[in-house]
Amino acid sequence: KARLSRVVNWLDAFEPDVLCLQETKMVDDDFPEATFNALGYDCHIHGQLRWNGVAILSKVGIADPLNGFGDGIEEDPDARVTWATCGDVRVASCYIPNGRSLDDPHYQYKLSWLERLKQSLDKQCAPSDPVVLVGDFNIAPDDRDVHDPAKFTNRTHASPPERQRLEELMDWGLTDLFRIHHDDGGLFSWWDYRAGSFANRKGMRIDLLLGSKPVADASTYCLVDRNERKGPKDDPPSDHAPVFVDVSL
């Protein structure tokens, strides 16, 4: 609700075929679907009041939508993942739990959630299919993805069990699309609002685009729109910047 104009302006500028949103923080009936329809996007929404909420916007169709993990997998109470086939690609918009701290029950929930995501992926797709899982993973895959690795010792977002769960998910047959095109560290997608973190380049790369081999092989570039993290107080930015990939299937 606070950033609709920024999303609309970004869509006007970049015209992506598919946009995945996280933390929409509204029920489905309040989602500004008509605004996006007017821009040529179909919408698949999995909303939740106050917290969470994910959505997929697509100019290339939405088929076989699914909210959550699907039949046979423990249901999640939060609106954190939604799926749709857009064109020929199976797309998941994901908002992985934060974890809070290593001794918090929410951390175990995070680990369990990632395992259920892998189960859901395995039930729906094969590694030879064109598949992308995108969104706020709340995990920095390796030390290149945090501004100061020493500060994240024994802390969530960079702990070995989280990274192991992410590796297990990727072992299914997914590639970090950003890393295909950028091998350097210090390239982030999230910066805290406090202590001048953005200006001082103290961030993390936790917004990931994971693609199966057909998608990875067809990816031509992947970027973080760092400029979108800037903005005046009367039009405030998110603490996350958009990450986007071009795929020529």
Side-chain angles (χ1 to χ4, degrees):
K1 284 184 262 189
R3 298 186 175 90
L4 178 59
S5 64
R6 294 188 71 115
V7 177
V8 168
N9 290 339
W10 197 86
L11 291 172
D12 283 339
F14 288 90
E15 299 182 337
D17 291 317
V18 179
L19 176 70
C20 293
L21 301 172
Q22 297 84 44
E23 286 192 274
T24 58
K25 298 183 179 180
M26 60 178 65
V27 296
D28 292 359
D29 287 346
D30 290 338
F31 190 83
E33 187 168 3
T35 298
F36 297 124
N37 291 162
L39 296 173
Y41 290 93
D42 297 321
C43 303
H44 175 54
I45 311 154
H46 184 26
Q48 188 171 4
L49 186 63
R50 294 185 61 205
W51 311 111
N52 309 314
V54 285
I56 299 172
L57 314 184
S58 174
K59 282 187 172 182
V60 292
I62 286 180
D64 302 318
L66 172 69
N67 289 335
F69 298 121
D71 294 340
I73 301 173
E74 182 185 351
E75 183 178 355
D76 191 72
D78 293 339
R80 289 186 174 274
V81 62
T82 192
W83 307 74
T85 300
C86 304
D88 295 324
V89 181
R90 190 63 173 164
V91 177
S93 179
C94 307
Y95 177 41
I96 282 72
N98 178 285
R100 298 175 185 163
S101 66
L102 303 192
D103 58 356
D104 192 293
H106 202 259
Y107 180 76
Q108 295 303 319
Y109 165 54
K110 181 178 191 175
L111 300 180
S112 168
W113 199 98
L114 287 160
E115 175 58 31
R116 285 180 285 162
L117 179 64
K118 183 175 181 292
Q119 293 173 18
S120 182
L121 175 65
D122 200 36
K123 289 188 67 171
Q124 296 184 64
C125 309
S128 58
D129 297 333
V131 182
V132 290
L133 275 63
V134 310
D136 179 1
F137 275 71
N138 273 312
I139 301 171
D142 63 49
D143 284 352
R144 290 173 295 176
D145 301 310
V146 294
H147 67 90
D148 185 350
K151 289 186 176 181
F152 287 86
T153 302
N154 296 322
R155 288 181 58 185
T156 187
H157 291 75
S159 69
E162 292 167 276
R163 287 177 168 173
Q164 179 62 35
R165 283 288 198 278
L166 180 62
E167 288 180 10
E168 291 168 358
L169 178 65
M170 294 174 65
D171 285 346
W172 177 89
L174 299 175
T175 298
D176 183 343
L177 300 178
F178 186 83
R179 277 286 169 240
I180 295 175
H181 304 283
H182 305 279
D183 192 49
D184 295 339
L187 301 171
F188 306 133
S189 64
W190 177 89
W191 301 261
D192 200 324
Y193 288 123
R194 298 169 294 182
S197 295
F198 180 67
N200 292 310
R201 298 183 177 272
K202 295 181 178 180
M204 295 191 290
R205 189 176 71 92
I206 57 176
D207 302 278
L208 308 180
L209 306 173
L210 309 181
S212 60
K213 189 176 187 302
V215 175
D217 289 347
S219 69
T220 59
Y221 63 85
C222 186
L223 298 171
V224 177
D225 184 6
R226 192 173 182 275
N227 285 331
E228 193 60 29
R229 180 57 175 78
K230 305 173 184 178
K233 290 183 178 180
D234 59 351
D235 188 20
S238 169
D239 48 359
H240 296 260
V243 186
F244 58 98
V245 63
D246 182 80
V247 179
S248 298
L249 285 170

